[in-house]
Amino acid sequence: MITFSKLVRLAPFDEETRKEILAKEATMSEDQKREITELAWDMVTAEYQANADAQIDLEFEKLREENKPFSEEVNTAVHLQMDMDFDKKLEAADTSEQIEKVQEELKTHE
Amino acid sequence: MPAPSVDISNSVIPNPAALRMEAPAAHDAGHATASPTEHGAHSASAALALEHDRKTSENPLEGTFAAHHRDGKVSEIASIGGRNRDILVRHFNQFATMARQLEKDEDPAFFGNPLYRQAIEIQQKYATMLKEGDAPPPPKKDAHGDGHGAASHNEHGDGHGGGAPKHETFDIRKISSADQAIMDGVIRLSIHDLASSIGVEIVNQNIPIELMPLFGKSTEIVPRQLLEGYFKKLGGELKTKYAERILFEKESRRDQLVKIAELHNASIAIRESLTGKKAWNLAGLRNKDFSRDFLSTETELQRNKLLASRYEGKDVSSLTPEQRIQLNRDSLVLAITQRGNIAREIISKPVETSFGESSLISNAREKVADKRGKTETRIVYKIGGRDEVPDETDQTRTRKITSKDHAQYQLDLHEAQNNISLAEEKIKSFRTQRTKLSTEYTELSGKRADLERDLELARQQEASYAYKHLLTEGEESERFISARTEPVRDKDGKITGQDSSKAATLLEEYRNRYDQILERIDTANAQLERLNKLPEEIRKIDEAIHHEEQEKINTLDPKLAAVLAREIKAEQVTSKDHQLEMTDFVVGEKEGDDTYTNRLSHSQIAFLHHETREESVLSLDNFRNTLFMVEGNLHGQHEAHAVLPDHVLIPSLARAMGLSWSDLLGDNEMDLMPYIANGVINVEAISVVVDPASKANIEAHIKNMGQLLLKRLQANAVHAPQSNAAIGKQVLKERLVAASTGKFNELAEITVKAAEPAPVRRTAPLSTPSTPGMFRLQENRP
């Protein structure tokens, strides 16, 4: 299950907004969380699309410069790269969330 | 009706790579309807756009993910620089200043459009960045007297605009996305106001207007004639506040067009920054998805709604230019208000303020509020304690037992019991018959010796009967009568006649005696013959009894047992209202329940992630289960099926994919349209189709539609998983809409309440049916 804070870390919010949302998370209503969740997923998918487009564009440009035809392998390679990147982002969001939790726990023991 | 044959599976698979390989043809096709002027400008600008994109090929949003950038480089969110930045700041400030004036004057327009207040707030919030642009001096004419020679589409523009003010402190990256959205709205409204005031509209909202010198020296700017190609005339003008404010009418036609074009290009720059998408890609092709940003989608939605409410049944093209201008403006204002409010409300609204009152979830809960806490008594049909049976059409599924099943069970039971009763009656009748025969046989058997003796005696008597010849031979009979005939005399003794009566009487008596002998023979014969036949008759009736008993034991009893084994009991149960149950399933039972939010996140990640995205679309059931987060929960799967049955899921998917009923039904459209109602497949109408062949054909086609849509989902999972995430989001949202209207069995358009001053809430981005029963998702604009 992807948590709210993990999603906020995953979505391409600007840092100011991201910090503000995370700071207010504990006091947010479910409605607010839902609205932000929807917005965040819109942004995640938009980013995914944009990244895929950019990757394909780059590959296409390379092929054009080398005067080579486009092949399905290129598409597959791009998507593989996309998947790896997405995994990394998820992992990073996860790690960041865990670090924050540990930091909070440490604070309570101080 | 022809067999289902339409294949749409390949027509929609997003394959940007393939699209890009067709660059030249697609490019030409894309401009096939453009004016020659526009075509020329675009052809020329394609190369420039290509060059531009080479410089700015990084996805602007990747700046927030520097650590994971594919090249390990840190690329920042695209800045809006040069001329675009200057124009943006200048117009924004002019708009905000106008807003302040409207507020001061207590102008009703100010209170009718929240955007004015939002513009003031943003101007205050970013005062240090925007102060330089507050009430800027009019652009100085450059050496060639035009002041518009800049490269408007160049985000990294170098300020070729001559005397344009510099705003070094302004940086779009320092403005939150929520406020960027409002700035975007302000700029779009300004464009609209300026364009409307001179009776024009930009042909394509998503293609930058090229203001770069086409050839040679920078002094050779785009002539007015060429500029006009980017605009279409509306046939009327509209007085607008913003045009009045900047004294727009006093400028020359060419300057007016240039100003709108510059503003339009600045708007595109903001939208690129907001959406992370480029208006043009590396191959010089327009990004088809670019126009699908939130505000464009919302504007189109609002326009459709306003059109429907103001000019019921009319098409935009049939409106007068004035009506059309006003419609466009109002829809833009509404959309901006919506979009701006969403972002601002989420980010900055005080937490203690309830969000829910007008949200779909709250509406859904309100819809069933009166049913909560109450129970309803309804009849549930069960077999062996279970209220469902395997689905006849798909054994991998189950379905609820219905009243129809119960009625059928009662018919079957009656028939089975009736057949047994009839068989038992028959056996009873046979047994009675047999008893009679048996009695008869016993009696006759006891009389056999007497009968035989009597027969023998009678035969002898018959053989020796003395008068037999008198009775069998005519002459003898006549002679006998003649011999015994006596004369009849009168009183004088004179013969007057003959009397043969005594003879006749005597002969009759002989005959009677003889007949009696013959009758005794016949009776004895018959009884002896009956006695001989009775064993066979008894045997046959024994066989019949045996047959009937066997039939009952081997066939009828098992049939009854089989019927009884699936006895459907009708039970009265007291439970939650069904509508309430479905609503709770969709939005959660309690206030503040995060069911919907969790499902949204769960399904989005499932459709996007490489480990789950293919499995989640292996079947329509998988798609549905993923959507409702019930993959491992059988009860949940039944609930999911109840709120999103296939006959709703199929059109819902199609709608999310942008397919019309025409696309789905293909050649069978005319035959199948009668089975579409309220935007979904009307299963009730199909169930009453009498002709089995027609019914099978309809069902086959519907199944085929589902499979074709599934193929598209599967193709998306491989080529564009983000499309499935978007599709899933919309289908899920539609269920939320269904819960809010209480109509789970429909794909209804969301109705918009009369415009309220503020805040205006977002509604789901659903399409507007063009005709009843039809739907079409918003398409990418050309």
Side-chain angles (χ1 to χ4, degrees):
Chain A
M1 174 54 119
I2 186 159
T3 62
F4 179 77
S5 60
K6 187 170 164 183
L7 174 62
V8 173
R9 288 180 174 88
L10 178 68
F13 285 112
D14 61 274
E15 275 312 310
E16 186 193 346
T17 308
R18 191 198 316 280
K19 281 178 187 166
E20 194 179 343
I21 295 171
L22 290 173
K24 286 184 175 175
E25 185 191 344
T27 53
M28 273 183 190
S29 68
E30 284 304 332
D31 279 331
Q32 280 174 305
K33 285 186 181 174
R34 178 175 52 78
E35 296 271 358
I36 289 172
T37 301
E38 286 196 29
L39 198 64
W41 281 114
D42 277 346
M43 294 167 84
V44 170
T45 48
E47 183 195 38
Y48 192 99
Q49 172 86 55
N51 283 342
D53 285 351
Q55 292 270 25
I56 290 282
D57 279 346
L58 279 175
E59 293 299 327
F60 180 65
E61 184 64 8
K62 271 188 215 166
L63 291 169
R64 198 164 54 172
E65 280 170 6
E66 294 166 11
N67 201 22
K68 286 180 182 171
F70 186 88
S71 67
E72 189 55 33
E73 285 73 32
V74 175
N75 201 29
T76 309
V78 165
H79 278 95
L80 194 64
Q81 184 63 44
M82 291 285 302
D83 291 340
M84 287 167 63
D85 289 349
F86 195 62
D87 273 350
K88 277 183 190 172
K89 286 172 186 174
L90 274 172
E91 200 180 319
D94 208 22
T95 309
S96 169
E97 186 184 27
Q98 284 172 6
I99 290 171
E100 196 161 294
K101 276 182 186 168
V102 172
Q103 284 172 339
E104 279 172 17
E105 280 180 27
L106 285 173
K107 275 183 193 170
T108 59
H109 293 296
E110 278 174 1
Chain B
M1 187 188 299
S5 60
V6 58
D7 188 347
I8 49 174
S9 60
N10 294 324
S11 61
V12 294
I13 301 166
N15 190 345
L19 186 69
R20 283 161 180 75
M21 286 305 290
E22 295 166 5
H27 189 246
D28 290 345
H31 294 288
T33 55
S35 67
T37 315
E38 183 190 2
H39 186 279
H42 287 173
S43 300
S45 65
L48 295 165
L50 180 61
E51 182 58 30
H52 154 74
D53 270 332
R54 279 206 182 96
K55 292 176 190 168
T56 60
S57 63
E58 291 85 4
N59 165 23
L61 288 175
E62 284 189 344
T64 57
F65 287 95
H68 305 297
H69 191 271
R70 60 178 176 275
D71 298 323
K73 287 189 293 187
V74 177
S75 66
E76 295 181 318
I77 194 163
S79 61
I80 297 175
R83 183 106 179 130
N84 281 339
R85 180 189 58 204
D86 297 342
I87 288 163
L88 170 64
V89 170
R90 185 197 315 147
H91 280 280
F92 184 83
N93 278 318
Q94 284 177 343
F95 189 92
T97 307
M98 175 186 71
R100 285 176 199 280
Q101 189 60 46
L102 291 175
E103 185 182 21
K104 193 177 165 187
D105 297 344
E106 296 186 347
D107 193 308
F110 179 82
F111 302 100
N113 184 355
L115 197 63
Y116 292 123
R117 182 176 295 285
Q118 289 168 338
I120 295 170
E121 285 171 6
I122 288 178
Q123 199 186 37
Q124 285 168 342
K125 189 173 175 182
Y126 302 101
T128 53
M129 275 199 284
L130 293 168
K131 64 181 178 186
E132 290 175 43
D134 200 358
K140 288 178 188 172
K141 300 278 180 182
D142 63 17
H144 304 283
D146 55 79
H148 299 293
S152 296
H153 181 51
N154 187 350
E155 292 170 351
H156 302 298
D158 52 10
H160 285 314
K166 301 287 182 187
H167 301 285
E168 299 302 333
T169 55
F170 178 81
D171 188 346
I172 193 81
R173 292 166 298 185
K174 293 177 183 169
I175 293 178
S176 75
S177 56
D179 293 336
Q180 279 185 45
I182 291 163
M183 292 187 93
D184 176 29
V186 167
I187 297 302
R188 288 208 217 185
L189 190 57
S190 305
I191 294 167
H192 181 275
D193 278 4
L194 297 184
S196 301
S197 75
I198 60 168
V200 296
E201 193 175 76
I202 294 169
V203 172
N204 194 315
Q205 299 293 322
N206 306 303
I207 296 178
I209 297 174
E210 190 54 63
L211 295 171
M212 272 284 280
L214 287 178
F215 307 104
K217 300 170 189 174
S218 61
T219 53
E220 293 172 3
I221 57 151
V222 182
R224 175 187 158 184
Q225 193 186 9
L226 187 53
L227 264 177
E228 294 273 8
Y230 286 101
F231 297 90
K232 56 186 171 191
K233 287 178 184 168
L234 293 174
E237 294 168 358
L238 187 72
K239 277 194 170 185
T240 63
K241 297 272 178 199
Y242 189 58
E244 281 177 13
R245 164 79 190 175
I246 65 168
L247 305 174
F248 198 53
E249 78 279 7
K250 293 194 173 173
E251 299 189 27
S252 72
R253 173 76 171 183
R254 187 190 160 282
D255 285 353
Q256 287 171 334
L257 294 178
V258 167
K259 194 162 266 182
I260 295 169
E262 286 180 329
L263 209 45
H264 167 69
N265 291 347
S267 165
I268 285 184
I270 298 180
R271 284 152 67 193
E272 284 184 335
S273 174
L274 262 175
T275 62
K277 291 173 183 172
K278 308 300 288 182
W280 292 76
N281 66 14
L282 270 176
L285 285 175
R286 178 179 49 79
N287 182 353
K288 286 173 77 179
D289 274 336
F290 180 66
S291 62
R292 301 187 71 167
D293 64 298
F294 307 123
L295 188 52
S296 298
T297 307
E298 190 68 42
T299 304
E300 193 164 322
L301 179 71
Q302 294 297 341
R303 183 166 38 238
N304 288 338
K305 285 176 179 171
L306 283 180
L307 181 69
S309 65
R310 288 182 188 173
Y311 312 105
E312 195 178 342
K314 276 194 175 180
D315 187 73
V316 175
S317 58
S318 66
L319 302 182
T320 66
E322 200 169 347
Q323 287 172 328
R324 195 170 151 210
I325 292 167
Q326 195 61 48
L327 183 75
N328 285 342
R329 188 181 193 285
D330 291 354
S331 56
L332 180 60
V333 167
L334 267 178
I336 291 165
T337 309
Q338 301 278 49
R339 174 75 191 130
N341 277 331
I342 298 157
R344 290 188 72 79
E345 280 180 39
I346 297 170
I347 305 293
S348 60
K349 199 174 175 76
V351 175
E352 64 273 16
T353 307
S354 168
F355 249 82
E357 279 186 13
S358 56
S359 76
L360 294 170
I361 288 179
S362 292
N363 286 349
R365 290 210 175 95
E366 278 170 24
K367 200 92 190 164
V368 289
D370 59 327
K371 293 174 175 163
R372 195 167 298 287
K374 292 179 188 170
T375 53
E376 68 167 12
T377 303
R378 58 194 168 100
I379 293 175
V380 174
Y381 300 98
K382 290 184 176 177
I383 296 177
R386 294 196 58 179
D387 62 352
E388 57 202 25
V389 286
D391 193 312
E392 293 80 357
T393 54
D394 182 356
Q395 290 294 314
T396 59
R397 288 188 186 169
T398 55
R399 62 168 181 83
K400 290 275 181 195
I401 302 167
T402 63
S403 58
K404 268 188 184 175
D405 296 321
H406 185 248
Q408 187 61 50
Y409 161 74
Q410 285 183 317
L411 274 177
D412 292 348
L413 181 66
H414 177 73
E415 192 184 341
Q417 286 174 335
N418 197 38
N419 286 343
I420 287 178
S421 295
L422 287 173
E424 284 172 345
E425 285 289 321
K426 215 169 175 182
I427 291 167
K428 191 179 168 187
S429 160
F430 283 156
R431 285 193 189 288
T432 307
Q433 211 175 329
R434 193 200 185 281
T435 306
K436 277 171 74 179
L437 291 175
S438 181
T439 307
E440 188 183 0
Y441 180 73
T442 308
E443 284 174 4
L444 286 175
S445 291
K447 293 196 296 187
R448 180 186 285 273
D450 292 342
L451 286 170
E452 285 172 349
R453 192 171 53 248
D454 194 38
L455 178 63
E456 185 57 32
L457 186 64
R459 278 179 179 161
Q460 285 173 9
Q461 284 177 340
E462 192 270 341
S464 62
Y465 191 63
Y467 306 108
K468 189 161 75 175
H469 65 286
L470 293 178
L471 303 173
T472 55
E473 295 172 25
E475 286 179 6
E476 287 294 325
S477 170
E478 284 173 11
R479 198 178 297 131
F480 176 81
I481 290 170
S482 175
R484 282 162 180 75
T485 300
E486 292 173 357
V488 179
R489 297 175 191 278
D490 60 13
K491 60 185 180 181
D492 297 329
K494 190 180 175 182
I495 296 171
T496 57
Q498 299 291 324
D499 180 7
S500 60
S501 61
K502 284 183 182 173
T505 303
L506 195 59
L507 192 61
E508 185 61 30
E509 190 180 329
Y510 292 157
R511 184 179 300 278
N512 285 343
R513 279 184 204 163
Y514 187 66
D515 283 348
Q516 283 172 2
I517 293 168
L518 288 180
E519 199 177 318
R520 278 168 56 206
I521 291 170
D522 284 347
T523 303
N525 256 335
Q527 286 188 322
L528 284 169
E529 204 173 310
R530 174 77 179 149
L531 184 62
N532 290 334
K533 282 184 179 173
L534 273 173
E536 178 61 14
E537 278 192 30
I538 291 171
R539 192 186 62 76
K540 280 185 179 171
I541 211 157
D542 280 345
E543 272 182 12
I545 291 169
H546 179 73
H547 175 78
E548 284 299 324
E549 283 178 341
Q550 289 304 306
E551 174 74 9
K552 179 177 172 296
I553 292 165
N554 296 329
T555 312
L556 302 180
D557 287 349
K559 268 189 184 172
L560 178 62
V563 173
L564 287 171
R566 56 178 188 85
E567 181 184 8
I568 298 180
K569 287 182 181 170
E571 290 179 14
Q572 272 203 341
V573 293
T574 304
S575 65
K576 263 168 96 169
D577 176 90
H578 190 51
Q579 185 83 8
L580 174 67
E581 202 169 19
M582 291 202 290
T583 305
D584 281 351
F585 178 73
V586 173
V587 302
E589 199 168 335
K590 294 171 187 167
E591 199 65 36
D593 196 310
D594 56 0
T595 300
Y596 182 80
T597 312
N598 287 342
R599 276 190 192 138
L600 179 65
S601 281
H602 171 83
S603 58
Q604 293 292 289
I605 199 79
F607 292 135
L608 272 177
H609 200 272
H610 59 92
E611 284 176 3
T612 49
R613 65 192 176 207
E614 288 182 38
E615 193 186 340
S616 65
V617 291
L618 273 180
S619 65
L620 290 181
D621 279 338
N622 279 24
F623 179 85
R624 178 172 28 232
N625 296 341
T626 304
L627 210 57
F628 288 98
M629 215 165 71
V630 291
E631 293 94 329
N633 171 359
L634 271 181
H635 179 70
Q637 287 174 15
H638 289 308
E639 295 262 23
H641 201 270
V643 299
L644 184 58
D646 282 357
H647 66 271
V648 178
L649 174 60
I650 289 171
S652 181
L653 275 174
R655 174 140 81 171
M657 290 176 183
L659 295 172
S660 67
W661 279 114
S662 295
D663 296 330
L664 271 184
L665 304 178
D667 295 339
N668 296 322
E669 185 178 358
M670 295 306 288
D671 295 325
L672 292 174
M673 277 312 283
Y675 305 105
I676 308 299
N678 298 318
V680 300
I681 296 158
N682 187 347
V683 283
E684 291 294 322
I686 294 170
S687 72
V688 296
V689 173
V690 179
D691 176 28
S694 298
K695 193 173 180 177
N697 215 346
I698 295 165
E699 284 169 349
H701 194 88
I702 288 165
K703 198 171 179 181
N704 192 43
M705 283 196 288
Q707 288 306 306
L708 291 169
L709 294 170
L710 187 63
K711 269 191 196 175
R712 295 178 60 163
L713 289 173
Q714 289 167 346
N716 281 345
V718 176
H719 297 284
Q722 72 278 9
S723 300
N724 282 352
I727 290 165
K729 190 166 179 285
Q730 180 162 332
V731 174
L732 193 62
K733 172 75 84 172
E734 279 184 348
R735 290 302 82 199
L736 189 55
V737 174
S740 77
T741 59
K743 293 173 182 171
F744 288 93
N745 223 15
E746 290 184 12
L747 280 185
E749 188 195 355
I750 302 168
T751 54
V752 182
K753 287 180 186 173
E756 294 165 7
V760 184
R761 300 278 305 168
R762 175 173 50 171
T763 51
L766 293 182
S767 61
T768 306
S770 51
T771 53
M774 301 286 287
F775 58 73
R776 192 175 281 280
L777 193 75
Q778 294 167 16
E779 293 168 348
N780 292 338
R781 293 184 190 83

